[in-house]
Amino acid sequence: MGAGLSQEARRQERLLREQWEAARRQVRERRGAAGDGERRVLAQLLVLTARGWRLLVGRGDVVLVGPGGVFVVSVGVGVGAGAGAGDGDVVGDGGAAGLLAAARGTESAVASLGMSPVAVQPVMVRAGQGPDGGHERIRVLGEQEVGRVLLAQPRRLRAESVRAIADHLERVLPDREGLALQQGAGPSLHPGSDGLFDLDGLRDAALEGARRAPIEQWMTFLHPDQVALVRRNWSGPARISGPAGTGKTVVALHRAAHLARRTTGRILYVTFANNLPRVQSTFLRTMAPAVADRVDFRSLHSWAQEFLQERGVPVRLNGDKAETAFSRAWTHVGRQGPLARIDPGPGYWHEEIDHVIKGRGLTRFEDYAVVPRRRRRAGLHRTQRQAVWELYEEYEARRHERGVHDFNDVLSIALAQASKEAGPPPYAAVVVDEVQDLTLVGVRLLHALVGDAPNGLLLVGDGQQSVYPGGFRITDAGIDIRGDRGQVLRTNYRNSRQILDAALAVVADDVFEDLDGVPTPGRRDVDLTYHDGDVVRVAEPTADAHDRELVGALRALPDGALADTALLCPSKRALGHYRRLLARAEIPVRPLEQYDGRPVDAVKLGTYPRAKGLEFKNVFLPRYDTALTDTVPETDTARERAELMRSRLFVAMTRARDLLWLGSVTGPPAPRR
């Protein structure tokens, strides 16, 4: 491999020298009136046109369209005395203001194609100098590095997209001349003589680009309707909902980037799961590096703990000790009481306390006695609710004895702290993804950070994809979303008809109540744009035969396909089994808890809930029907658990884009060892 790369490096070097000489000759002939620095930079950009880029030259700047995106580039020969680019000095004819105006015009032009405006990056090149900071959203590069940096950009656009965008921009942008490298005979120029052509850097960037796989195209492109949502000016809190696969998270990420570019404050992007912020941060850094440092990606509980720590508010979170407190409370007042006759397992009643009582911030029995228990199928009359309240009070007493807090306490304490703080809000805006997974207290906390300020709060989610018990309405949090501030996406960009039909068949009979309180049928109509996905069903008589088929199917994937493949399980116990199975088969694995969105040639392994907000080309669901057939839901609580499991399975199935592999075992279950 080393010899091959060395040979390729020599080939790249020869080719780049030829292209550089041709570019300098062409620029000297076509742009003789320009300064030396501008001609050298333009020659570097012209070299890129031999590598899949398109160059549109204007009077004060150029537009460059290529695999790495769309760049509006301005060239200057120096800066004002004592001023840096970060101080807003004038560079080139138009300076920072002119460059930003040109970038906005280009944004509007590409938005009409359905391309996200965050894909347009203004770049200021300091001719004859090195890099020096930045100016707001402008990336400032030195003359020596501009070609190398642009060539090394992550690949966002396919060749046909580059052509379509460049052709469109050449038509709609005034005074733009398309310029491409024309190699041919001519006087020899020596590229190394002036020390400004970074041959080594360009060569290395070309090699790295050849080794790197393209990132997903959804990072750059949105439907025009989605672009409008990203750029809309909301007069108060807003909400975006819609079925699985309709691009809610994509819109939320682009909205965060848009707000970061249009405001001076920080943006908080929060979700419930603690693995999603790492992935979403990676995606934003890839598609909008200029503003990535101004968006905080956090899980709700980790952010709340840090929020309290910064203010000196003590928190003694200890999940294990809190769990012990509940177990003893159940043994003391629950196990022999009326609650055990409704459901003998303590889990259901732990959920009742977590999601209905503490999750809603209830502190008086009279409030709990009348509160609607949304998404809880077992009806409780007043006497039974009194028994739940006694269990809650016993749990709280034992928790206080141990001097610890649980996760709900962290949010309640943070809400109390945020509600009493004066002064400017800590964030310019808060974007909440997968809002249906939060508790009511959590939503109130995030609302308290920005209030009803214009463009302050955006709630994104879908009630059908709830993977935790209980529920609430947005109005319960004191949030008033009116008129067009409530948007519903109806076009699925991820799933084919085969995959979506398989997933909808699981939840077709489950009417759910979305966060607006409107009952909605499980099978919702959506428009589809993707048609290449397939469903493979494998049924084997034994678990061993099923696992052999699974391993065989994974091994049969094309080279590199594991990087976009997930194996998802309904429980941690099943997760352990398949982790061991893949290890024995020598198939590389990356747990979803460790996945950060960067490509890695390994199967992503995790539970159904951990896959929330993610998508993969290939999704394998071994023994997917086990959780649906393990027990017959004869009671209200069992029916509720079965419905929740169907919702989780639906989420897992809709993560698949190209292949959904569904495995099942038809024979009797093997005896437990």
Side-chain angles (χ1 to χ4, degrees), residues 336-578:
Q336 304 301 323
L339 300 183
R341 292 191 290 273
I342 300 173
D343 193 297
Y348 186 85
W349 306 110
H350 202 330
E351 293 170 351
E352 184 77 8
I353 291 173
D354 279 343
H355 295 275
V356 181
I357 297 178
K358 300 190 75 169
R360 296 181 68 94
L362 305 179
T363 57
R364 301 185 317 126
F365 170 70
E366 291 305 322
D367 294 328
Y368 173 61
V370 297
V371 70
R373 299 168 58 253
R374 307 196 188 281
R375 296 197 70 191
R376 302 292 272 175
R377 301 307 186 202
L380 300 179
H381 53 64
R382 184 178 180 89
T383 301
Q384 292 164 333
R385 293 197 187 204
Q386 285 177 328
V388 175
W389 196 259
E390 289 175 10
L391 176 62
Y392 159 70
E393 290 184 325
E394 182 71 15
Y395 164 59
E396 288 292 279
R398 291 179 179 270
R399 184 182 59 76
H400 280 293
E401 286 176 4
R402 288 163 174 75
V404 297
H405 295 117
D406 61 21
F407 287 100
N408 281 299
D409 296 324
V410 173
L411 301 186
S412 295
I413 296 170
L415 173 58
Q417 178 66 30
S419 299
K420 69 181 182 182
E421 287 191 354
Y427 291 98
V430 174
V431 178
V432 187
D433 200 4
E434 305 290 354
V435 64
Q436 74 278 355
D437 292 337
L438 273 58
T439 63
L440 183 60
V441 170
V443 176
R444 285 173 174 161
L445 166 61
L446 296 170
H447 182 216
L449 299 180
V450 290
D452 294 328
N455 301 314
L457 181 66
L458 175 62
L459 305 176
V460 181
D462 173 34
Q464 189 174 32
Q465 298 181 69
S466 295
V467 296
Y468 299 101
F472 58 89
R473 293 178 178 175
I474 294 295
T475 53
D476 296 338
I479 300 173
D480 185 13
I481 295 178
R482 298 185 179 183
D484 68 351
R485 287 191 277 123
Q487 294 287 324
V488 181
L489 304 180
R490 304 186 187 278
T491 302
N492 185 310
Y493 298 96
R494 179 196 305 148
N495 308 125
S496 67
R497 172 58 64 188
Q498 299 94 314
I499 291 175
L500 187 60
D501 281 348
L504 287 173
V506 173
V507 296
D509 297 329
D510 295 333
V511 176
F512 69 97
E513 186 178 285
D514 209 350
L515 302 185
D516 54 8
V518 178
T520 305
R523 184 179 288 276
R524 291 184 281 178
D525 291 330
V526 295
D527 297 324
L528 298 177
T529 63
Y530 192 71
H531 305 285
D532 296 332
D534 194 17
V535 178
V536 174
R537 298 179 185 269
V538 175
E540 293 295 329
T542 67
D544 288 343
H546 166 279
D547 289 352
R548 284 194 297 270
E549 288 291 322
L550 171 65
V551 170
L554 289 169
R555 285 175 171 165
L557 291 173
D559 291 343
L562 294 185
D564 212 347
T565 296
L567 191 156
L568 305 177
C569 302
S571 66
K572 291 183 178 179
R573 178 179 177 180
L575 201 64
H577 168 77
Y578 289 106

Side-chain angles (χ1 to χ4, degrees), residues 56-78:
L56 306 177
V57 181
R59 292 180 178 177
D61 54 68
V62 300
V63 175
L64 197 65
V65 184
V70 181
F71 300 85
V72 182
V73 183
S74 178
V75 183
V77 297

